[in-house]
C-alpha cells in the first residue's frame, strides 16, 4: 500500500471486506460533496471504498437496504448495476469507531463533469432506462432515507427560518437572493402538490441525476452510479436535477454568473435520451411538467446552498468561505433563466413527444 503511514482508518476498514487480491494503492477521489471516497487497486481488481457521511445519511442501514433492493431488481433483469461487497461478517456495510464504510466493485468506464450533447443524450438514456427498469418495483418498499429530500416548499420554508434566525449575521449579504426565493414560493410546490394529490405517480427515484453520476463505456452506453438517495418520489425530480446540473452553460460553482443560462440544445438532447430510455413510462402530467421541473429543482438547490451558507456551511463541503453563497447565486440565476424560457421549453418538449 502506498504512503505506509497514511490511511490507517481506511486500511483497517478495508480489512473487513473480502477483496480479491492484495491492496496495492488507495487514492482519494475528490468528486462529490457528501461522502468521502477512495479508489482501491489490488493486484487482481479495483474497488471503491466510501466512508458514508452519517450527518447526512443518519440511518446508513436504510441507505444500504434501499441500494440492495434496487441493485437486486436491476441485476435480476440482467441489467448492469453497481455491486457491493459484504463484510466478512456478512453485513452490507461496516460500522466501526472511525465511521461507516462500504466497498463496491469499481466499474470500468469514464465519468465527466460536463459533456457534449451526444454524451448528455446517452446519460439521459441511462437515467430513463433506470426509471423504466424500476417502474415495476413498488416504491413503497424503499425507506425515505432523507425525509423530504426534494420537498421544495419545505426547503424554501427552512431557508426563510434560517434567514430569520441569521445565526452568523450573513443574511444582509444575500437579501436579493432571499427575496427571489420568497417570491417563487407559489411555483415551488408544483411537484410536491402533484405527488400529494396523486396526479403525479410515486416512483423509484434516483434523486441525484448529475451527469457525473453516469459512467460511460467505450460505446457511450451509460451505467447509473451513486444510489445513495434512491427513494420514493417523482420522476420529475430526476429530470429536473439532471437538466439543472447538466444543461447549464456553466458548471455548478462557476463564478462568471453573467454567463449562466440554460442551454436549449443540451436540454433537447437530454429530453430525447430520457424519453427513449423511459420508453413510454411517463404520464401526461409528467410530460407537461418536464421543463418546470428543471426550474423547481434549480430553485430548490439554490435554497439549500443559501440555507447552508447562512447556517455556517455544515452540510455541503466547501473549499473557501462564501462558496455556498456563490453556488446559491449560480443556481438561482439559472432558475430565473429557466423560468424566463419556460414557454419555449414547453414548445420544444411538445415537439419531441
Ligand atoms: C450533493 O455529494 P453529491 O455531489 O453526490 C447532494 C445533492 C446536490 C449536489 C449538488 C445527499 O450530491 O442533492 O444536488 O450535492 N446530495 C445530498 O452538487 O444532499
Ligand atoms: Mg450523490
Amino acid at each position: 500500500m502506498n504512503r505506509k503511514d497514511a490511511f490507517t482508518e481506511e486500511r483497517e476498514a478495508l480489512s473487513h471486506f473480502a477483496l480479491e487480491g492484495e491492496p496495492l494503492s488507495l487514492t482519494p477521489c475528490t468528486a462529490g460533496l457528501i461522502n468521502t471516497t477512495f479508489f482501491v487497486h489490488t493486484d487482481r481488481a479495483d474497488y471503491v471504498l466510501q466512508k458514508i457521511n452519517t450527518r447526512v445519511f443518519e440511518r446508513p442501514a436504510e441507505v444500504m437496504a434501499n441500494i440492495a433492493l434496487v441493485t437486486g431488481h436491476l441485476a435480476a433483469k440482467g441489467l448492469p448495476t453497481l455491486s457491493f461487497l459484504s463484510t466478512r461478517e456478512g453485513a452490507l456495510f461496516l460500522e466501526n469507531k472511525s465511521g461507516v464504510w462500504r466497498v463496491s466493485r469499481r466499474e470500468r468506464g469514464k465519468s465527466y463533469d460536463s459533456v457534449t450533447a451526444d454524451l448528455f443524450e446517452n446519460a439521459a438514456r441511462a437515467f430513463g432506462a433506470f426509471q423504466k427498469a424500476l417502474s415495476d418495483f413498488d416504491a413503497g418498499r424503499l425507506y425515505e432515507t432523507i425525509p423530504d429530500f426534494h420537498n421544495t416548499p419545505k426547503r424554501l420554508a427552512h431557508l426563510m427560518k434560517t434567514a430569520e434566525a441569521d445565526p452568523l449575521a450573513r443574511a444582509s449579504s444575500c437579501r436579493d437572493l432571499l427575496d427571489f426565493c420568497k417570491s417563487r414560493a407559489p411555483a415551488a410546490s408544483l411537484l410536491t402538490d402533484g405527488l400529494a394529490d396523486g396526479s403525479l405517480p410515486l416512483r423509484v427515484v434516483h434523486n441525484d441525476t448529475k451527469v457525473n453520476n453516469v459512467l460511460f463505456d467505450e460505446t457511450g452506453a451509460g451505467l447509473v452510479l451513486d444510489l445513495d438517495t434512491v427513494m420514493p418520489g417523482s420522476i420529475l425530480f430526476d429530470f429536473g436535477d439532471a437538466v439543472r446540473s447538466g444543461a447549464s452553460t456553466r458548471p455548478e460553482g462557476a463564478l462568471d454568473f453573467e454567463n449562466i443560462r440554460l442551454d436549449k440544445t443540451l436540454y433537447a438532447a437530454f429530453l430525447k435520451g430520457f424519453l427513449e430510455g423511459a420508453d413510454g413510462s411517463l404520464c401526461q402530467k409528467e410530460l407537461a411538467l418536464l421543463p418546470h421541473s428543471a426550474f423547481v429543482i434549480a430553485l430548490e438547490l439554490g435554497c439549500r446552498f443559501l440555507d447552508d451558507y447562512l447556517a455556517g456551511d455544515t452540510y455541503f463541503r466547501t473549499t473557501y468561505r462564501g462558496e455556498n453563497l456563490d453556488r446559491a447565486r449560480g443556481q438561482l440565476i439559472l432558475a430565473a433563466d429557466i423560468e424566463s424560457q419556460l414557454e419555449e421549453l414547453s414548445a420544444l418538449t411538445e415537439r419531441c413527444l
Side-chain angles (χ1 to χ4, degrees), residues 31-35 56-57 146 149-150 155 207-210 212-213 226 228-229 231 241 244-245 252 297 300-301 304-305 315-317 327 331:
L33 303 182
I34 308 289
N35 294 322
V56 171
F57 298 108
I146 304 181
F149 188 61
H150 278 309
R155 297 286 195 183
N207 279 315
D208 193 11
T209 45
K210 285 177 301 203
N212 66 5
N213 278 333
D226 187 358
D228 283 337
T229 46
M231 280 183 267
D241 200 20
R244 70 105 206 129
S245 60
E252 202 177 288
I297 303 295
E300 176 187 286
L301 188 59
R304 293 175 64 195
F305 283 143
Y315 188 95
F316 295 105
R317 194 176 294 137
R327 287 171 176 155
Q331 281 306 305

Side-chain angles (χ1 to χ4, degrees), residues 72-352:
H73 192 80
L74 297 174
K77 291 188 170 186
L79 299 170
T81 186
L82 296 180
S83 109
F84 286 84
L85 272 66
S86 298
T87 64
R88 294 184 196 280
E89 296 77 31
L92 289 172
F93 60 93
L94 169 78
E95 184 159 15
N96 64 13
K97 61 179 182 333
S98 62
V100 175
W101 303 87
R102 66 178 173 206
V103 175
S104 57
R105 290 183 187 283
R106 184 170 177 191
E107 305 298 333
R108 284 175 191 279
K110 273 190 161 180
S111 68
Y112 305 87
D113 286 319
S114 68
V115 286
T116 59
D118 279 351
L119 271 187
F120 198 40
E121 186 183 318
N122 287 351
R125 201 169 283 111
F127 283 126
F130 179 86
Q131 280 287 344
K132 168 91 180 166
L134 288 157
S135 59
D136 59 347
F137 182 96
D138 175 10
R141 291 172 65 202
L142 298 179
Y143 292 104
E144 202 181 348
T145 48
I146 304 181
D148 295 317
F149 188 61
H150 278 309
N151 188 325
T152 314
K154 280 204 178 164
R155 297 286 195 183
L156 203 155
H158 195 274
L159 165 66
M160 292 305 151
K161 251 176 83 181
T162 310
E164 207 173 300
D166 199 15
L168 298 167
R170 290 180 169 184
S172 59
S173 60
C174 54
R175 282 282 161 226
D176 57 333
L177 300 184
L178 288 166
D179 289 346
F180 175 82
C181 294
K182 200 170 177 182
S183 67
R184 277 12 181 223
S189 63
L190 210 53
L191 310 185
T192 42
D193 285 351
L195 282 173
D197 68 20
S199 56
L200 289 175
L202 193 72
R203 299 178 186 271
V204 178
V205 177
H206 181 278
N207 279 315
D208 193 11
T209 45
K210 285 177 301 203
V211 73
N212 66 5
N213 278 333
V214 175
L215 196 66
F216 297 97
D217 70 14
E218 55 291 335
T219 71
L223 172 73
V224 173
L225 308 174
D226 187 358
L227 305 176
D228 283 337
T229 46
V230 164
M231 280 183 267
S234 166
I235 197 169
L236 294 167
F237 299 160
D238 279 359
F239 185 85
D241 200 20
V243 167
R244 70 105 206 129
S245 60
S248 172
T249 48
R250 301 290 297 127
E252 202 177 288
L255 298 176
D256 53 337
F257 302 121
E258 66 284 4
N259 295 324
I260 300 178
R261 276 182 299 282
L262 185 87
D263 181 325
K264 278 199 285 292
T265 308
L266 288 174
Y267 175 89
F270 194 87
L271 178 69
K272 179 166 184 285
F274 193 75
L275 292 177
E276 277 175 25
D279 187 23
S281 318
L282 278 75
C283 73
Q284 279 308 317
K285 180 155 180 178
E286 289 172 329
L287 293 170
L289 290 182
L290 288 170
H292 304 77
S293 70
F295 166 72
V296 172
I297 303 295
L299 171 68
E300 176 187 286
L301 188 59
C303 291
R304 293 175 64 195
F305 283 143
L306 197 54
D307 198 342
D308 199 30
Y309 167 69
L310 294 175
D313 307 305
T314 59
Y315 188 95
F316 295 105
R317 194 176 294 137
T318 52
T319 53
Y320 66 89
R321 200 186 151 101
E323 186 168 9
N324 276 321
L325 175 60
D326 288 339
R327 287 171 176 155
R329 191 170 295 284
Q331 281 306 305
L332 296 171
I333 288 172
L334 179 65
D337 185 65
I338 299 171
E339 186 183 43
S340 75
Q341 299 196 57
L342 276 177
E343 254 177 55
E344 256 179 278
L345 292 170
S346 291
L348 192 161
T349 307
E350 288 258 316
R351 288 199 294 276
C352 272

